[in-house]
């Protein structure tokens, strides 16, 4: 069954297949992780399953506050049905706290709150689309900052991708891709522990536990999958690194 589907695109962490109806696609989440433009590669066991669930959860909640997204429904452990869009060639990074490339570029220490939220664009889109994109990015940030704060996670920054859907001659911008610890920096509010892909990028270890911990706090795992008895013990990885 899987083999008969036509593959539309394969990226680093996801595969897109043609969907059951015109205008739809199936988004498959892989366990593969890459960093530094693909120079660093690994498999994080179970990452695809967890990112599928986290992204489903976030997009569903964003839909509820009126942010249009490509998400239709989750199909199974690793796949979701999405609307087909023309991806707008723009990457939107929203930053609340200095970390990663902005710390390097501007010499701001990691963890220093920015005086106000910064939105960075790497883009090619028209003015009207940019208006829609920036207003949606701000709403997504306000909503997600609160959503993560409620589970004791600080939303440091994240990346968004948008798509264009056509209705005759008119086009509309909707949120696409995924929202998961692969494209967000998520720090525990109390300990500052990183609960995102930086664990992989920076060889901190415990990436599986970190992704699970985010899913667990969002209430997405059943007890067998990582209930209270299995609360991520990231201190183990700290000790292994001799800290
Ligand atoms: P930075 O520019 O500091 O490397 O990244 C800022 C934020 O955007 C981080 O949350 C990072 O995870 C996300 N981000 C930026 N570019 C990419 C990318 O190509 N892939 C992924 N997964 N995340 C990205």
């Amino acid at each position: 069954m899987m083999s008969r589907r036509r593959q539309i695109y394969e990226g680093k962490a996801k595969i897109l297949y043609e969907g059951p109806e015109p205008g739809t696609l199936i988004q498959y989440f892989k366990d593969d992780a890459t960093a530094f433009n693909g120079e660093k590669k690994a498999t994080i066991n179970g990452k695809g399953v967890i990112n599928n669930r986290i992204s489903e959860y976030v997009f569903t909640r964003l839909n509820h506050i009126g942010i249009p997204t490509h998400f239709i429904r989750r199909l199974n452990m690793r796949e979701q049905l999405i609307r087909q869009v023309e991806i707008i060639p723009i990457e939107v990074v929203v930053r609340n706290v200095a970390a990663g490339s902005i710390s390097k570029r501007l010499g701001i220490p990691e963890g220093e709150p920015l005086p106000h939220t910064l939105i960075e664009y790497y883009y090619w889109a028209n003015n009207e689309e940019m208006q829609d994109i920036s207003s949606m990015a701000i709403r997504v940030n306000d909503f997600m900052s609160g959503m993560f704060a409620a589970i004791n996670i600080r939303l440091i920054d994240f990346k968004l991708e948008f798509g264009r859907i056509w209705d005759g001659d008119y086009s509309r911008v909707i949120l696409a891709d995924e929202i998961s610890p692969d494209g967000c920096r998520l720090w525990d509010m109390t300990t500052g522990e990183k609960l995102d892909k930086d664990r992989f990028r920076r060889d901190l270890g415990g990436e599986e536990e970190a992704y699970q911990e985010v899913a667990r706090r969002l209430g997405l795992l059943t007890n067998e999958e990582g209930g209270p008895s299995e609360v991520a013990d990231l201190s183990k990885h700290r000790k292994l690194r001799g800290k």
Side-chain angles (χ1 to χ4, degrees), residues 163-208:
R164 202 181 274 132
I165 45 172
W166 288 93
D167 187 2
D169 287 343
Y170 292 91
S171 73
R172 201 156 67 93
V173 176
I174 68 175
L175 188 59
D177 192 37
E178 68 176 300
I179 294 181
S180 75
D182 267 6
C184 301
R185 286 199 172 91
L186 305 169
W187 297 359
D188 181 276
M189 257 188 205
T190 313
T191 63
E193 198 77 71
K194 296 185 195 331
L195 300 172
D196 56 57
K197 198 170 162 190
D198 271 350
R199 299 207 75 84
F200 165 70
R201 295 187 187 105
R202 303 181 186 191
D203 294 318
L204 302 175
E207 41 273 51
E208 285 170 43

Side-chain angles (χ1 to χ4, degrees), residues 27 35 41 43 75 77 87 93 98 118 124 126 135-136 144-145 165 172 178 182 185 195 207 209-210 224 237 241:
Q27 178 164 252
K41 288 198 183 81
T43 301
L75 296 172
M77 298 263 280
I87 283 288
V93 172
L118 281 185
W124 190 248
N126 70 37
S135 69
M136 274 194 262
M144 288 220 300
S145 292
I165 45 172
R172 201 156 67 93
E178 68 176 300
D182 267 6
R185 286 199 172 91
L195 300 172
E207 41 273 51
E209 291 92 332
E224 299 95 75
H237 297 278
R241 298 197 314 277

Side-chain angles (χ1 to χ4, degrees), residues 94-149:
V94 180
R95 300 179 187 274
N96 298 309
V97 177
S101 66
I102 200 167
S103 293
K104 285 216 178 99
R105 272 179 280 152
L106 303 182
I108 309 172
E110 282 216 323
E112 192 160 303
L114 297 166
H116 58 85
T117 297
L118 281 185
I119 307 195
E120 289 184 331
Y121 302 107
Y122 304 83
Y123 75 94
W124 190 248
N126 70 37
N127 272 337
E128 209 181 325
E129 288 174 335
M130 290 306 294
Q131 292 287 326
D132 290 347
I133 286 170
S134 61
S135 69
M136 274 194 262
I138 288 166
R139 287 194 69 202
V140 170
N141 184 45
D142 288 346
F143 179 80
M144 288 220 300
S145 292
M147 188 188 86
F148 282 115

Side-chain angles (χ1 to χ4, degrees), residues 12-58:
K12 291 167 279 183
K14 294 190 292 293
I15 304 173
L16 296 178
Y17 296 99
E18 103 191 322
E21 296 151 45
T24 67
L25 295 177
I26 292 168
Q27 178 164 252
Y28 176 98
F29 288 76
K30 299 194 277 188
D31 281 348
D32 298 348
T34 62
F36 312 118
N37 278 320
E39 273 170 52
K40 182 173 177 176
K41 288 198 183 81
T43 301
I44 302 174
N45 278 329
K47 173 173 83 83
V49 174
I50 288 180
N51 282 356
N52 187 22
R53 292 291 299 276
I54 292 177
S55 198
E56 169 195 20
Y57 178 80
V58 175

Side-chain angles (χ1 to χ4, degrees), residues 45-101:
N45 278 329
K47 173 173 83 83
V49 174
I50 288 180
N51 282 356
N52 187 22
R53 292 291 299 276
I54 292 177
S55 198
E56 169 195 20
Y57 178 80
V58 175
F59 276 31
T60 301
R61 298 217 45 199
L62 290 174
N63 272 326
H64 286 157
I65 63 158
I67 304 271
T69 80
H70 74 162
F71 178 79
I72 302 172
R73 65 190 156 85
R74 188 166 60 84
L75 296 172
N76 55 50
M77 298 263 280
R78 287 187 184 271
E79 294 178 332
Q80 46 183 246
L81 185 66
I82 59 171
R83 297 191 60 168
Q84 182 163 29
V85 297
E86 248 174 57
I87 283 288
I88 299 173
I90 176 175
E91 256 187 35
V92 180
V93 172
V94 180
R95 300 179 187 274
N96 298 309
V97 177
S101 66

